[in-house]
Amino acid sequence: MSRIAYVNGRYVRHAEAAVHIEDRGYQFADGVYEVCEVWHGKIVDERRHCDRLERSLRELSIRMPMTRAALSQVMREVLRRNRVRSGFVYLQVTRGVARRDHYFPSPDTPPALVVTARNVAPETGDKAAEAGVGVITVPENRWDRVDIKTVGLLPNVLAKQKAKEAGAKEAWFVDANGYVTEGGSTNAWIVTKDNTLVTRPAEHGILKGITRQVVLDMIARNGLSFDERPFTVDEAKQAKEAFITAASTLVMPVVRIDDAAIGNGHPGELSRELRQQFHEVSELEPV
Ligand code: PLP
């Protein structure tokens, strides 16, 4: 069975799916994206991901390419055509196709929409979570609108490649004051020695992760102790536990930061429990 992608109104074979060379996503990274997990035939937190997509588009003055209801249908059709039960659905919207010019194209230029999906067994992430992952730290060098989920990810790409070359999974950006902002594609968390969960406020300097929000819901549900504040690399290295969150990783325990083992060097109890509870608290919508 060949993979199928949705590209600007058509369902096409993934291997042949293409956008125009003058697409502004290609020319200027002038676009945004979303990734939703799909779990046993359910789309995870679709409402919140689509809310964020609309917000990202609004911040950049790009129109929604279609209504939310239509978008939801396209996502489902792509998932069905690819027979995805568990994995991911990816949406990308750009300002459309126009002759290369920094100024916005004329307002009647339709935004471009691509939707793809792929199968990934849930056990893949679960296995990684049993061992936990390593992170490295790198200086923050991104623009100050990282709250918009744009496809302009070059600093993230370079940071994550550096992590990979160091045998780690993720890179944590560290701001000029020594505070961790977030990972290249994840939000960053620690658990202090007195079992308080700590993550940076999402007003500035990070993407307001949907998975982060689900963890906040789990914290409330379980009456856990929580402090929304920045933390330094040193504090993280001394922490009892650390973990990262994203739709692509869920709650993923961190067992090493640079060369420092976290806790006893194995995934922490709280991180493991939050991962286990995740799909009880996230919103699940049938494909
Ligand atoms: N931070 C960055 C930079 C990301 O790219 C992502 C996800 O791709 C996240 C955080 C986590 O966001 P979410 O939980 O919505 O997937």
Side-chain angles (χ1 to χ4, degrees):
M1 190 196 78
S2 64
R3 276 183 80 191
I4 301 294
Y6 173 92
V7 183
N8 295 324
R10 296 195 308 140
Y11 293 92
V12 293
R13 282 160 53 98
H14 191 277
E16 284 140 32
V19 294
H20 197 278
I21 57 167
E22 297 267 44
D23 187 286
R24 289 185 61 101
Y26 178 65
Q27 295 286 24
F28 297 113
D30 190 358
V32 304
Y33 73 106
E34 277 297 332
V35 184
C36 296
E37 189 206 3
V38 181
W39 187 74
H40 298 291
K42 307 276 199 310
I43 303 180
V44 180
D45 287 311
E46 178 186 3
R47 178 185 62 84
R48 291 192 269 208
H49 281 282
C50 288
D51 283 350
R52 189 174 62 187
L53 177 72
E54 286 196 295
R55 176 186 181 273
S56 294
L57 289 170
R58 228 177 12 252
E59 291 296 314
L60 299 179
S61 305
I62 300 176
R63 275 188 282 136
M64 271 284 273
M66 57 179 62
T67 63
R68 260 176 87 136
L71 190 57
S72 168
Q73 286 308 308
V74 170
M75 285 164 71
R76 283 174 171 72
E77 190 60 27
V78 171
L79 288 167
R80 279 196 292 266
R81 287 187 188 223
N82 290 283
R83 303 211 178 112
V84 173
R85 293 277 304 159
S86 291
F88 300 95
V89 57
Y90 179 94
L91 318 170
Q92 183 162 316
V93 181
T94 74
R95 203 182 301 277
V97 175
R99 196 191 64 189
R100 190 179 186 286
D101 187 349
H102 291 66
Y103 306 115
F104 289 0
S106 85
D108 56 4
T109 306
L113 170 64
V114 169
V115 181
T116 58
R118 76 190 159 97
N119 268 298
V120 180
E123 298 76 40
T124 311
D126 292 342
K127 221 178 226 141
E130 276 169 34
V133 299
V135 306
I136 62 164
T137 55
V138 296
E140 180 64 87
N141 61 355
R142 300 173 301 160
W143 75 327
D144 74 350
R145 290 310 309 275
V146 293
D147 57 301
I148 308 172
K149 198 166 167 65
T150 82
V151 296
L153 291 171
L154 199 45
N156 311 56
V157 165
L158 297 178
K160 289 195 66 114
Q161 178 62 23
K162 195 169 172 194
K164 187 177 177 187
E165 286 168 10
K169 168 86 176 165
E170 181 59 295
W172 279 1
F173 290 110
V174 180
D175 71 15
N177 300 317
Y179 292 104
V180 173
T181 54
E182 63 178 336
S185 60
T186 58
N187 290 122
W189 296 74
I190 57 169
V191 181
T192 63
K193 297 247 158 49
D194 68 353
N195 286 324
T196 300
L197 287 123
V198 181
T199 200
R200 189 183 176 100
E203 288 102 54
H204 190 76
I206 67 167
L207 182 76
K208 194 172 189 174
I210 306 303
T211 318
R212 174 186 183 280
Q213 184 56 52
V214 176
V215 172
L216 296 180
D217 294 347
M218 285 193 277
I219 288 171
R221 181 171 109 150
N222 292 286
L224 300 173
S225 161
F226 173 58
D227 200 356
E228 194 173 43
R229 62 165 173 84
F231 58 85
T232 64
V233 175
D234 279 346
E235 186 182 6
K237 287 180 179 172
Q238 306 294 324
K240 187 173 179 188
E241 301 182 26
F243 61 90
I244 53 178
T245 55
S248 57
T249 58
L250 306 180
V251 176
M252 181 61 68
V254 169
V255 294
R256 187 166 38 84
I257 301 172
D258 295 327
D259 289 327
I262 304 309
N264 60 5
H266 295 285
E269 206 173 302
L270 211 45
S271 315
R272 287 214 310 259
E273 268 170 33
L274 291 168
R275 183 181 181 89
Q276 255 165 23
Q277 269 189 28
F278 187 83
H279 293 108
E280 291 168 28
V281 177
S282 58
E283 294 176 3
L284 304 175
E285 294 291 339
V287 172

